[in-house]
Every structure is written in structure tokens, then in C-alpha cells.
Amino acid sequence: MGERLILSIDAMGGDKAPEVVIDGMALFAKDMKHVDFLVHGDEAVLRDLLAQHGVLKGRYEIVHTQSVILNDMKASQALRRGKGSSMWNAVEAVKSGAAAASVSAGNTGALMAISMLLLRKMDGVKRPGMTALWPTVTGRAVILDVGANLEATGRQLLKFAIMGEAFARAALEIERPRIGILNVGSEDMKGHEEVRRAHELLQNCGLDIDYRGFVEGDDISAGAVDVVVTDGFTGNIAIKAGEGVAHMAGTFIRDALTATPWAKFGALLAASGLKRMKSRMDPARVNGGVLLGLNGVSVKSHGGTSAEGFATACRLAEHLVQSQYDDEIHANLAKIESGTLAQTQSQQS
Amino acid sequence: MGERLILSIDAMGGDKAPEVVIDGMALFAKDMKHVDFLVHGDEAVLRDLLAQHGVLKGRYEIVHTQSVILNDMKASQALRRGKGSSMWNAVEAVKSGAAAASVSAGNTGALMAISMLLLRKMDGVKRPGMTALWPTVTGRAVILDVGANLEATGRQLLKFAIMGEAFARAALEIERPRIGILNVGSEDMKGHEEVRRAHELLQNCGLDIDYRGFVEGDDISAGAVDVVVTDGFTGNIAIKAGEGVAHMAGTFIRDALTATPWAKFGALLAASGLKRMKSRMDPARVNGGVLLGLNGVSVKSHGGTSAEGFATACRLAEHLVQSQYDDEIHANLAKIESGTLAQTQSQQS
């Protein structure tokens, strides 16, 4: 038997915590017999919840705290007053080496700030980038940055590409992820200065990565690339705009299939296909974001996710820990800091 | 009987021109007995096509040209070599007063450039803004800019809000359109400098408009506001990301309802509801964009649209001509140039 892997869970973060968090953890634990848990939160509540899941027996330790980061707390407040909270402790366990990675469904801004403070930035990374997974016709894609930074220079976009590439290999289990930069057209001269600069850098960086050039908004769902690189402002708006349309489509489908008794009966007949459709569109399937560029894995689960969704976020943490994604990022960042890229740049300037 | 209204149609622009253009024009003409047409393109081809539609009899004049703006032509080429083309002539007819508005499904960049050159910018407008319509749970929303400019200052966003508001009243027939600025969060301090500046300007502009503050990407489809204000880079990516998700959802639904013979039978039983769903998601329902801020109406139809879609674009042109939207824009722009806003600005700077 291999080594045990320990995940650090913020049991108190998220809209339906701690119930959904513990249910999701248990779902994940079923398939992942090599994983144990540090569970951060109110012991009195957690003890009973955890005891309900036979699969967790002997596989967890509760780290008691009554302090919780609230959803409306600003990142700056969380940094000042968050010490000792379930979220803080969950991330601190990664820093101390007590756990391999943490998962929290709590306040996004607070989690980014606390993770950045405790885990620190990797060498060569000025701006960590937040990832999101996006459902596509053929599978899933990674998009980053989705909100850690509002703007990004060409060079930062290059680093997002490097980080996203290694992340996609680990998270999506794709050997050679295809990378694209999000833009308003696919021709070289399209877009603002920073995306054109990033395009040039990626074309000439000499890294062994599969850069496919510019992609447009509709290319994301079409699965044109596996890694979509953009600034945090655009990325955040793109994923939320997409979520909004998916939600609307779901509403329209439900309306259509409940409009008449015949329609309801028809939906029953089509149940197997509809179930598959639901799972392909299910937000739980794409749950889990990571602030890339830190020394340690801190996974953010959607606050309103289901138990299945929280399990997906745990799976993401496990995949990242098992992979060499951080070594790969290190290596590629080092290459662009020193070698090929510096040459390319001096030739061009 | 009221006055006749004349629409100028670029019959040769679009992926399925001229057939779909003429079919769409005829569809529109059925409901709009007060409209006549100038039809620009190859007379030999158009004569037969037009003659097939009884409803058009005696209501059109062909303006012959064999020159066409191709889809891959750059805007700069279109300006240099486009004179005399069907697109150019269609817009020129608006400038000369021969027609009240033009509609083209041709090359977007070329149409924007030609429209800007021939129709000229309104007083007080430095950057015209391109609109798109977006389907929502409750109806439709207007989003601008979707690509005429890559960036926008706070003051330009304010002007987009003013133009979009009058446009929404005309296009969507909403008495008092609600306006929002697209951002990564709804709190005052969220987002980059330009959106925060626009937010402040809109809150203090003293105009009689219904400004609702910041909206996020998922608020668009939810119908939170009627006018979504953003820069052209973000707007273009948001609409295309949304289109991509809608297209993916359509693919998944088709797969689900054809997966088994039972599913196909079920889809038949649910046909009426599904038909309604299809029409709510139909891109034809939201076809038609306008470059706002020019002295004249030049409507851009999607290049790949159906006849129904082209009819929607014609309807949009008709609505705009019948409304006072340009007077309203003029009046509000004049107010911010002189009165209240200047005061607000001087107090704050």
C-alpha cells in the first residue's frame, strides 16, 4: 500500500456547510481509499455529522475551532481577524506540512488572501492566477485568470499560460493541453496591446507547449483549446456570462418538459438521455478553482455547490497533489526567466 | 395612410446572400405595409428573387451594382475599395436621405467603417458603440459596446449608457430601461478604475435615467437590467461566450432527445413546449446590432442568420426610425456636456 495522503477540509465554509461539505468529503472518500482528512470546524457539530459516514471511520481528525470567515467579510478583514478560523487553519495545515492540500467552499476573496499570505508566491510569480473549469462539448477546459487580478500584462498572461498548462495536465489528465489566448478575433493584429504581446511571447518562448493562438468567446464551449488564458476581469465576466446562459437554458428546458401532461410523459420516455444531458451541464462536474502560483494547493469550491460538487473539488486537490504540476510550472518559469525567452526578447527589442 | 418609410437593403452581404436576405425582407414586409425598399446588388440575380414574393410587388427599387464587400476584407480595404459596393450604396442611401435606415448582413468591420465614414459621428460622440441583443429569462437585453472599441474610459461608458438607454426604449419598447455596468462584483469598490469612474458619473449625472449600478456576468441572462454597459473587448467576449454555451446546450438537448427511439417519441409528446423553448433560445430573435452615435441608422445583421433573423434586423431598423431615440441621445449628451455633470465633476476634482 502506498503512502497516505492527507486533505485539509474547511468544514464551515460555504452556503450549506457543514452538512454538504461532509457529505461531499464522504462521497470522495469512497473512491479514494488512500486519503485521510483533517477536518476544521466546530467539533460538537462535526462529530455527529462525520460519524454518520461509515466510509470515513478512522480516517479523520477534527481540528476544533468556533471561528468562521463569513461570506460578506472583506479580504482585508479576513487577513486581520481570520487567524484561527476554520479556513485559516485548513490552509495553515498545508503550510506546516500536516496536509497535502486544502479545500474550502468559503468566501473566495478571503481564501485567496489567506492562501497567498500563508503559502506565499512561487519564485518567478508576481501575480497568482485563479482557475475555473468550463464544460465543453467534448469535456472540460481550464480558464484563468477568473478574478485574482483585474488586469494582466503580456508577460503575466504568458505565465498564466505556463501555470494553466501544467494545471490542465494534472486536473484534466490531458498529456499535452492546447493553449489559447482569449481575444475578440483570431488574426494576429486583433485585440489590445497586452494580448498581442502575450501572443508574440507564446509564439517565441521556445517552451515545449502546444500554443494554438487566439480563441474567441464561443471557442471555449466548443472545446477548441484546453487552457483559455485571459485577464481576471474578462475571465470572471466570461465564466459568469456562460453560467447565466446555462442556467437560463436549464430553466427553458424545465419549462418545456413540464408545460403539459404529455410533455411530462415525454420527458419520462426521454429520461436516460435527459439524465446524461443534465450530467454534462451539471455545475458540480466543473467545481473547483485553484489559485495557481503558490507554494501549496488550496482549492476553492463553489459556495453553493452540491455534495457531488464538493467531491469534485476534493478530487481536483488529490489530482494536483499526485501530479508534478508545481515542478513543471517551476521549470517552465525558470526557462522563461533565463534562457530562450530572454534571447528572443533581446532579438526583438 | 401615413408616410411611406424606405429601408435600404444590402442584398449581397451575408453567408447566404442574396436568397436569405430577400426572404427575410419579404417576411418583414408582410407585417410592415408602410415600408418600401431600396435593394442594392446584382440586378440580374435580384430581379427573379424579388419577383417570387408577391408581398413585395411595387414596393422596391433595385439599385444595381456588381461590386461586393467580401467577408475577409479588412475595414481599411473596404474604405479604400468599397465605394460603389452594395454595402456602401446601402449606407449612402441613408446619408443622402433616399432611405430612412440601412440593413446589411455583410462584413462587420467593413460595415462599421463605412457607416462611420458616411454617416459621421453625432456631436458629443467620440466613440460610437456597437450594440447586441441578448436573450434573457424575461425577454431581451441590450449590451454595448460589443467590439467597436477595445477599451473605454469612464466617460465613454457613461455615453454608452446614454445611447443604450434610448436604443433600448426604441428597440425593446421599454418605457424606462434599467441600466447596469458590467463588473466583477456589485459593490462600489469592485472593478478597475474606468468602471468605478463610470459608476460614479452615472450616479451623479442628474439625468432622468434608471441606473441600477454594477451587474455581474450571470445577471445578463437573468434579466437584471435592460441595458448592459461595458467596453468592446469584454462585451465581445461576453456575448460570444454566451453564444457558445447556448450552442452547447442546444447540442446536448438534441443528443438527449434523439438518444433512443423512446426519447424521440418523448420529444414528439413534448413538441409544443420544446418549440416554445426553441423560439426563446433562437438567435434569430436577438438578431441585429447598431453602431450607436452616428447620424443615421445602419443595422448589422448576423452574417449567418436565417430569413427570420434578417426580418428581425429589419424590424429593429424600422423601430429605430419610428422612435425619437436619436433626439433623446442628443438631448442627454448635451446635458452631460454642459449642465449638471460639469458641476458634479468640478465639485469632485
Side-chain angles (χ1 to χ4, degrees), chain B residues 229-302:
Chain B
V229 175
T230 188
D231 65 89
F233 188 82
T234 312
N236 180 285
I237 285 169
I239 53 161
K240 288 191 177 160
E243 282 169 10
V245 172
H247 191 261
M248 176 173 67
T251 303
F252 289 172
I253 295 166
R254 255 190 312 281
D255 285 0
L257 297 177
T258 54
T260 64
W262 284 116
K264 285 183 197 169
F265 184 54
L268 276 180
L269 295 178
S272 68
L274 290 171
K275 206 178 149 189
R276 179 170 137 79
M277 175 187 77
K278 215 178 153 186
S279 81
R280 289 168 90 182
M281 295 280 285
D282 188 357
R285 196 170 70 90
V286 288
N287 187 43
V290 176
L291 194 59
L292 292 181
L294 302 183
N295 296 304
V297 177
S298 163
V299 172
K300 160 74 182 133
S301 159
H302 197 288

Side-chain angles (χ1 to χ4, degrees), chain B residues 189-203:
Chain B
M189 80 288 183
K190 287 275 179 174
H192 55 62
E193 203 187 319
E194 301 307 338
V195 291
R196 281 185 279 117
R197 175 77 183 130
H199 181 57
E200 198 189 299
L201 287 170
L202 272 159
Q203 284 179 318

Side-chain angles (χ1 to χ4, degrees), chain A residues 22-332:
Chain A
I22 303 302
D23 288 350
M25 206 184 103
L27 256 182
F28 163 76
K30 246 182 240 171
D31 304 328
M32 296 281 178
K33 303 290 187 199
H34 63 290
V35 180
D36 293 340
F37 304 91
L38 288 179
V39 186
H40 303 267
D42 189 338
E43 183 162 19
V45 180
L46 292 175
R47 204 184 303 120
D48 292 349
L49 278 175
L50 287 159
Q52 290 169 19
H53 298 280
V55 68
L56 293 175
K57 205 175 170 194
R59 294 173 59 185
Y60 61 86
E61 187 183 314
I62 298 175
V63 182
H64 176 71
T65 176
Q66 284 190 316
S67 164
V68 172
I69 304 272
L70 299 174
N71 273 340
D72 57 359
M73 203 180 259
K74 286 186 196 165
S76 53
Q77 294 176 306
L79 287 181
R80 281 198 310 271
R81 306 206 301 253
K83 201 171 176 178
S85 64
S86 60
M87 181 188 283
W88 187 290
N89 292 353
V91 177
E92 203 164 42
V94 179
K95 186 195 178 187
S96 73
S102 68
V103 186
S104 172
N107 183 324
T108 309
L111 183 63
M112 287 201 290
I114 290 172
S115 301
M116 197 123 56
L117 179 77
L118 295 177
L119 302 178
R120 306 255 160 207
K121 292 179 238 174
M122 276 185 186
D123 286 347
V125 174
K126 242 189 229 161
R127 307 278 190 126
M130 187 78 191
T131 68
L133 295 170
W134 187 302
T136 72
V137 175
T138 50
R140 295 182 297 173
V142 172
I143 175 167
L144 82 162
D145 178 23
V146 297
N149 316 276
L150 289 174
E151 285 160 296
T153 64
R155 195 164 170 83
Q156 278 155 12
L157 292 170
L158 165 67
K159 292 186 180 182
F160 289 161
I162 288 172
M163 298 194 287
E165 200 253 357
F167 176 81
R169 185 159 34 248
L172 308 179
E173 300 177 86
I174 293 171
E175 191 49 44
R176 208 176 150 71
R178 299 157 300 160
I179 305 166
I181 297 178
L182 195 54
N183 199 356
V184 297
S186 54
E187 301 87 351
D188 285 353
M189 79 289 183
K190 286 275 179 176
H192 55 62
E193 201 186 320
E194 301 306 339
V195 291
R196 279 185 281 118
R197 175 78 181 130
H199 181 55
E200 199 188 298
L201 286 170
L202 272 159
Q203 282 178 320
N204 300 309
C205 65
L207 297 176
D208 181 28
I209 55 177
D210 187 6
Y211 175 59
R212 299 289 178 107
F214 291 135
V215 293
E216 297 191 61
D218 50 343
D219 292 325
I220 313 175
S221 296
V225 292
D226 305 301
V227 181
V228 178
V229 175
T230 188
D231 65 89
F233 187 82
T234 312
N236 180 285
I237 285 170
I239 53 162
K240 288 190 176 160
E243 282 168 11
V245 172
H247 191 262
M248 174 173 68
T251 304
F252 288 173
I253 294 166
R254 256 190 311 282
D255 285 0
L257 297 177
T258 55
T260 63
W262 284 117
K264 286 182 199 171
F265 183 54
L268 276 181
L269 295 179
S272 68
L274 290 172
K275 207 177 148 190
R276 179 170 137 78
M277 174 186 77
K278 215 178 152 185
S279 81
R280 290 168 89 181
M281 294 279 285
D282 188 357
R285 196 169 70 89
V286 289
N287 187 42
V290 175
L291 195 59
L292 291 180
L294 303 183
N295 296 304
V297 177
S298 164
V299 172
K300 161 73 181 130
S301 159
H302 198 287
T305 194
S306 60
E308 287 74 16
F310 197 83
T312 304
C314 292
R315 220 166 283 130
L316 176 59
E318 194 271 347
H319 273 48
L320 291 175
V321 171
Q322 299 287 12
S323 79
Q324 281 81 46
Y325 91 108
D326 44 357
D327 294 340
E328 294 170 12
I329 293 176
H330 263 305
N332 276 337

